[in-house]
Amino acid sequence: MREFALIEHIRRRFGRTGPSVVRGIGDDAAVLTPPPGRQLVMTTDLLTEGVHFDRQTASLEEIGYKAAIANLSDLAAMGARPDYVLVSLACPSDCATPDILRLYRGMADACRPYRVALVGGDTSASRSGLFLSLTVTGSVPIGKALLRSGARPGDRLYVTGTLGDALAGLQVLGKKRRASSLRLSSAARRVLIERHRRPIAHPRLGQMLSGHRLASAAIDLSDGLSGDLRHLCEQSRVGVELDAAALPMSPALRAYARSSGTDPITLALQGGEDYELLFTVPPSKERVLLRMAQRTGRRLTRIGLIKPARFGRQIKDVTGRLRRLPNTSYEHFRSSGVK
Ligand code: ADP
Ligand code: MG
């Protein structure tokens, strides 16, 4: 299929128009009516074959799905409602039209629950590997965006869901390929692999936190708790006491840690791509937060306390001893030589 035919196909299958989309795919640019009383929040993410994904081990649906989730999760961490998406592609010659449509199917799966409309993009050939870039725009009520910089000493540190599952899932897949014997039930394997392949973003929870001004700061967990907590603390100019015994872990993660001889706390601290929300709550807002969490059936766990900057970032281990929080998170440039 030629480029124009492909774009027309994408428009018919995946393009969405709504009351606020004056013009979507098909013109020189999209025309959208800004939501009254709200500020725009925009995020973009570039995925490069060989750096962020591998077409040998991940399906195109999965690549598209995860690209969308990474962006939706960034908006969730800002407390924003996701609205529109633009998709830019550079396709190598071995990537045919059905492959591209698989990418879009994955993206559409991730966007569907939030009714995010595809309103445009750009298409190019690539001489080396597949490139996929998504730009997602969203909006928040004026002045209500959740920043990384709002945490204050005395605030409580909370996290959604469970930690480390996506990393454990990735390791389970790797071990399966090497055919080593991992004594882990197939149910636990399935849970962890699913968390790696189909992570979930939390835009509705993010909007609840911003809309009711429950959180003072927030970040999404894409690089791992330890590294992302560091970003939040540095931008807020605060320290933190993290409670190792409180870190929420799934039964599957604990089983995996036991069977592989890995420390579950390390998995929880370093595991990337969980896309859970990490946020701080002033003590005066804690009761309302917990009531709302209960009503919506969301798992929220208090995992620490914000301290003055001079305290630094420390973790209280299960014996009650404090030690410095390790600075570990995944950085792509470290391995590619880009400084
Ligand atoms: P231009 O030459 O101005 O870049 P294009 O022919 O690339 O125009 O794009 C025509 C229309 O198709 C635009 O509305 C653009 O947003 C949309 N579009 C192009 N590529 C994609 C894509 N990969 N996914 C979604 N929309 C696309
Ligand atoms: Mg173009």
mmCIF file of all heavy atoms in Angstrom, residues 78 146-152 216-219 227-239 306 309 313:
data_model
loop_
_atom_site.group_PDB
_atom_site.id
_atom_site.type_symbol
_atom_site.label_atom_id
_atom_site.label_comp_id
_atom_site.label_asym_id
_atom_site.label_seq_id
_atom_site.Cartn_x
_atom_site.Cartn_y
_atom_site.Cartn_z
ATOM 1 N N MET A 78 0.469 13.929 35.678
ATOM 2 C CA MET A 78 0.213 15.370 35.737
ATOM 3 C C MET A 78 -1.209 15.655 36.222
ATOM 4 O O MET A 78 -1.606 16.810 36.333
ATOM 5 C CB MET A 78 0.390 16.007 34.351
ATOM 6 C CG MET A 78 1.753 15.850 33.727
ATOM 7 S SD MET A 78 3.081 16.504 34.748
ATOM 8 C CE MET A 78 2.760 18.268 34.670
ATOM 9 N N LEU A 146 -0.549 18.415 38.468
ATOM 10 C CA LEU A 146 0.282 17.852 39.541
ATOM 11 C C LEU A 146 1.732 17.913 39.109
ATOM 12 O O LEU A 146 2.097 17.290 38.115
ATOM 13 C CB LEU A 146 -0.072 16.382 39.763
ATOM 14 C CG LEU A 146 -1.416 16.047 40.363
ATOM 15 C CD1 LEU A 146 -1.551 14.527 40.445
ATOM 16 C CD2 LEU A 146 -1.511 16.668 41.743
ATOM 17 N N LEU A 147 2.566 18.613 39.855
ATOM 18 C CA LEU A 147 3.973 18.743 39.491
ATOM 19 C C LEU A 147 4.832 17.825 40.359
ATOM 20 O O LEU A 147 4.392 17.355 41.399
ATOM 21 C CB LEU A 147 4.411 20.204 39.672
ATOM 22 C CG LEU A 147 3.527 21.239 38.963
ATOM 23 C CD1 LEU A 147 4.070 22.644 39.188
ATOM 24 C CD2 LEU A 147 3.424 20.937 37.473
ATOM 25 N N ARG A 148 6.081 17.630 39.907
ATOM 26 C CA ARG A 148 7.014 16.851 40.715
ATOM 27 C C ARG A 148 7.539 17.671 41.889
ATOM 28 O O ARG A 148 8.136 17.123 42.807
ATOM 29 C CB ARG A 148 8.212 16.432 39.855
ATOM 30 C CG ARG A 148 7.866 15.456 38.742
ATOM 31 C CD ARG A 148 9.094 15.143 37.915
ATOM 32 N NE ARG A 148 8.812 14.131 36.911
ATOM 33 C CZ ARG A 148 9.720 13.623 36.082
ATOM 34 N NH1 ARG A 148 10.977 14.055 36.143
ATOM 35 N NH2 ARG A 148 9.392 12.703 35.215
ATOM 36 N N SER A 149 7.334 18.969 41.817
ATOM 37 C CA SER A 149 8.031 19.875 42.735
ATOM 38 C C SER A 149 7.230 20.281 43.968
ATOM 39 O O SER A 149 7.686 21.112 44.738
ATOM 40 C CB SER A 149 8.428 21.136 41.964
ATOM 41 O OG SER A 149 7.282 21.684 41.334
ATOM 42 N N GLY A 150 6.056 19.692 44.179
ATOM 43 C CA GLY A 150 5.192 20.211 45.249
ATOM 44 C C GLY A 150 5.274 19.502 46.599
ATOM 45 O O GLY A 150 4.541 19.856 47.521
ATOM 46 N N ALA A 151 6.161 18.516 46.762
ATOM 47 C CA ALA A 151 6.196 17.752 48.021
ATOM 48 C C ALA A 151 6.838 18.576 49.143
ATOM 49 O O ALA A 151 7.791 19.315 48.903
ATOM 50 C CB ALA A 151 6.974 16.449 47.814
ATOM 51 N N ARG A 152 6.305 18.454 50.360
ATOM 52 C CA ARG A 152 6.821 19.192 51.510
ATOM 53 C C ARG A 152 7.088 18.229 52.667
ATOM 54 O O ARG A 152 6.380 17.222 52.801
ATOM 55 C CB ARG A 152 5.799 20.255 51.967
ATOM 56 C CG ARG A 152 5.522 21.346 50.950
ATOM 57 C CD ARG A 152 6.773 22.221 50.712
ATOM 58 N NE ARG A 152 6.581 23.111 49.556
ATOM 59 C CZ ARG A 152 7.081 22.893 48.344
ATOM 60 N NH1 ARG A 152 7.792 21.805 48.105
ATOM 61 N NH2 ARG A 152 6.896 23.744 47.369
ATOM 62 N N SER A 216 0.214 16.593 46.627
ATOM 63 C CA SER A 216 1.046 17.798 46.520
ATOM 64 C C SER A 216 2.074 17.647 45.399
ATOM 65 O O SER A 216 2.567 18.637 44.873
ATOM 66 C CB SER A 216 1.737 18.077 47.856
ATOM 67 O OG SER A 216 2.338 16.909 48.380
ATOM 68 N N ALA A 217 2.422 16.404 45.039
ATOM 69 C CA ALA A 217 3.361 16.137 43.946
ATOM 70 C C ALA A 217 3.098 14.732 43.422
ATOM 71 O O ALA A 217 2.554 13.895 44.152
ATOM 72 C CB ALA A 217 4.804 16.244 44.441
ATOM 73 N N ALA A 218 3.478 14.494 42.171
ATOM 74 C CA ALA A 218 3.292 13.151 41.615
ATOM 75 C C ALA A 218 4.285 12.901 40.488
ATOM 76 O O ALA A 218 4.774 13.831 39.846
ATOM 77 C CB ALA A 218 1.867 12.976 41.085
ATOM 78 N N ILE A 219 4.564 11.607 40.262
ATOM 79 C CA ILE A 219 5.407 11.162 39.142
ATOM 80 C C ILE A 219 4.938 9.749 38.801
ATOM 81 O O ILE A 219 4.411 9.054 39.671
ATOM 82 C CB ILE A 219 6.909 11.200 39.549
ATOM 83 C CG1 ILE A 219 7.824 10.934 38.352
ATOM 84 C CG2 ILE A 219 7.213 10.216 40.675
ATOM 85 C CD1 ILE A 219 9.313 11.225 38.655
ATOM 86 N N GLY A 227 14.787 5.468 41.255
ATOM 87 C CA GLY A 227 15.173 6.591 40.404
ATOM 88 C C GLY A 227 14.080 7.645 40.284
ATOM 89 O O GLY A 227 14.357 8.849 40.315
ATOM 90 N N ASP A 228 12.827 7.215 40.166
ATOM 91 C CA ASP A 228 11.738 8.180 40.010
ATOM 92 C C ASP A 228 11.489 8.957 41.310
ATOM 93 O O ASP A 228 11.178 10.148 41.280
ATOM 94 C CB ASP A 228 10.471 7.469 39.518
ATOM 95 C CG ASP A 228 10.614 6.999 38.063
ATOM 96 O OD1 ASP A 228 11.211 7.750 37.262
ATOM 97 O OD2 ASP A 228 10.163 5.886 37.738
ATOM 98 N N LEU A 229 11.667 8.279 42.438
ATOM 99 C CA LEU A 229 11.537 8.970 43.733
ATOM 100 C C LEU A 229 12.624 10.029 43.865
ATOM 101 O O LEU A 229 12.397 11.117 44.402
ATOM 102 C CB LEU A 229 11.625 7.947 44.871
ATOM 103 C CG LEU A 229 11.539 8.503 46.295
ATOM 104 C CD1 LEU A 229 10.271 9.311 46.508
ATOM 105 C CD2 LEU A 229 11.618 7.354 47.317
ATOM 106 N N ARG A 230 13.793 9.711 43.347
ATOM 107 C CA ARG A 230 14.885 10.679 43.368
ATOM 108 C C ARG A 230 14.498 11.949 42.597
ATOM 109 O O ARG A 230 14.725 13.065 43.066
ATOM 110 C CB ARG A 230 16.135 10.043 42.762
ATOM 111 C CG ARG A 230 17.286 10.996 42.690
ATOM 112 C CD ARG A 230 18.453 10.341 41.999
ATOM 113 N NE ARG A 230 19.519 11.328 41.836
ATOM 114 C CZ ARG A 230 20.641 11.088 41.183
ATOM 115 N NH1 ARG A 230 20.836 9.908 40.632
ATOM 116 N NH2 ARG A 230 21.550 12.024 41.075
ATOM 117 N N HIS A 231 13.878 11.764 41.400
ATOM 118 C CA HIS A 231 13.439 12.944 40.625
ATOM 119 C C HIS A 231 12.468 13.798 41.434
ATOM 120 O O HIS A 231 12.570 15.012 41.483
ATOM 121 C CB HIS A 231 12.735 12.528 39.332
ATOM 122 C CG HIS A 231 13.629 11.823 38.366
ATOM 123 N ND1 HIS A 231 14.872 12.280 38.031
ATOM 124 C CD2 HIS A 231 13.451 10.687 37.653
ATOM 125 C CE1 HIS A 231 15.426 11.459 37.162
ATOM 126 N NE2 HIS A 231 14.591 10.478 36.916
ATOM 127 N N LEU A 232 11.496 13.129 42.042
ATOM 128 C CA LEU A 232 10.486 13.862 42.803
ATOM 129 C C LEU A 232 11.143 14.634 43.955
ATOM 130 O O LEU A 232 10.852 15.810 44.183
ATOM 131 C CB LEU A 232 9.416 12.880 43.309
ATOM 132 C CG LEU A 232 8.196 13.510 43.966
ATOM 133 C CD1 LEU A 232 6.935 12.696 43.651
ATOM 134 C CD2 LEU A 232 8.341 13.602 45.470
ATOM 135 N N CYS A 233 12.040 13.965 44.679
ATOM 136 C CA CYS A 233 12.696 14.605 45.832
ATOM 137 C C CYS A 233 13.576 15.770 45.385
ATOM 138 O O CYS A 233 13.578 16.829 46.014
ATOM 139 C CB CYS A 233 13.534 13.589 46.605
ATOM 140 S SG CYS A 233 12.520 12.455 47.567
ATOM 141 N N GLU A 234 14.322 15.572 44.317
ATOM 142 C CA GLU A 234 15.211 16.646 43.870
ATOM 143 C C GLU A 234 14.412 17.861 43.421
ATOM 144 O O GLU A 234 14.738 18.989 43.757
ATOM 145 C CB GLU A 234 16.138 16.150 42.759
ATOM 146 C CG GLU A 234 17.250 15.265 43.326
ATOM 147 C CD GLU A 234 18.205 14.722 42.280
ATOM 148 O OE1 GLU A 234 17.901 14.831 41.075
ATOM 149 O OE2 GLU A 234 19.256 14.180 42.688
ATOM 150 N N GLN A 235 13.341 17.619 42.671
ATOM 151 C CA GLN A 235 12.564 18.765 42.191
ATOM 152 C C GLN A 235 11.797 19.452 43.309
ATOM 153 O O GLN A 235 11.521 20.637 43.235
ATOM 154 C CB GLN A 235 11.608 18.325 41.074
ATOM 155 C CG GLN A 235 12.400 17.862 39.865
ATOM 156 C CD GLN A 235 11.731 18.228 38.559
ATOM 157 O OE1 GLN A 235 10.864 19.089 38.503
ATOM 158 N NE2 GLN A 235 12.138 17.562 37.502
ATOM 159 N N SER A 236 11.449 18.709 44.347
ATOM 160 C CA SER A 236 10.747 19.312 45.486
ATOM 161 C C SER A 236 11.722 19.824 46.549
ATOM 162 O O SER A 236 11.305 20.430 47.532
ATOM 163 C CB SER A 236 9.811 18.281 46.145
ATOM 164 O OG SER A 236 8.759 17.907 45.294
ATOM 165 N N ARG A 237 13.018 19.518 46.369
ATOM 166 C CA ARG A 237 14.053 19.868 47.350
ATOM 167 C C ARG A 237 13.719 19.331 48.733
ATOM 168 O O ARG A 237 13.671 20.062 49.723
ATOM 169 C CB ARG A 237 14.235 21.386 47.436
ATOM 170 C CG ARG A 237 14.707 21.992 46.131
ATOM 171 C CD ARG A 237 14.617 23.514 46.233
ATOM 172 N NE ARG A 237 14.656 24.122 44.925
ATOM 173 C CZ ARG A 237 15.773 24.479 44.296
ATOM 174 N NH1 ARG A 237 16.930 24.309 44.859
ATOM 175 N NH2 ARG A 237 15.718 25.019 43.101
ATOM 176 N N VAL A 238 13.448 18.026 48.776
ATOM 177 C CA VAL A 238 13.122 17.371 50.047
ATOM 178 C C VAL A 238 13.879 16.048 50.138
ATOM 179 O O VAL A 238 14.447 15.568 49.156
ATOM 180 C CB VAL A 238 11.604 17.081 50.163
ATOM 181 C CG1 VAL A 238 10.798 18.375 50.225
ATOM 182 C CG2 VAL A 238 11.128 16.186 49.019
ATOM 183 N N GLY A 239 13.880 15.467 51.319
ATOM 184 C CA GLY A 239 14.393 14.119 51.525
ATOM 185 C C GLY A 239 13.228 13.161 51.716
ATOM 186 O O GLY A 239 12.059 13.570 51.648
ATOM 187 N N ILE A 306 7.901 12.155 53.669
ATOM 188 C CA ILE A 306 8.784 13.194 53.128
ATOM 189 C C ILE A 306 9.485 13.913 54.296
ATOM 190 O O ILE A 306 8.853 14.231 55.300
ATOM 191 C CB ILE A 306 7.982 14.184 52.252
ATOM 192 C CG1 ILE A 306 7.349 13.450 51.059
ATOM 193 C CG2 ILE A 306 8.879 15.332 51.779
ATOM 194 C CD1 ILE A 306 8.335 12.791 50.099
ATOM 195 N N ALA A 309 15.329 18.277 53.241
ATOM 196 C CA ALA A 309 16.369 17.887 52.274
ATOM 197 C C ALA A 309 17.609 17.305 52.965
ATOM 198 O O ALA A 309 18.211 16.348 52.473
ATOM 199 C CB ALA A 309 16.755 19.094 51.428
ATOM 200 N N ARG A 313 17.890 10.758 51.078
ATOM 201 C CA ARG A 313 16.920 9.711 50.732
ATOM 202 C C ARG A 313 17.366 8.409 51.379
ATOM 203 O O ARG A 313 18.415 7.860 51.038
ATOM 204 C CB ARG A 313 16.831 9.555 49.210
ATOM 205 C CG ARG A 313 16.269 10.787 48.518
ATOM 206 C CD ARG A 313 16.097 10.562 47.031
ATOM 207 N NE ARG A 313 17.336 10.182 46.383
ATOM 208 C CZ ARG A 313 18.276 11.045 46.017
ATOM 209 N NH1 ARG A 313 18.105 12.334 46.232
ATOM 210 N NH2 ARG A 313 19.373 10.616 45.437
#
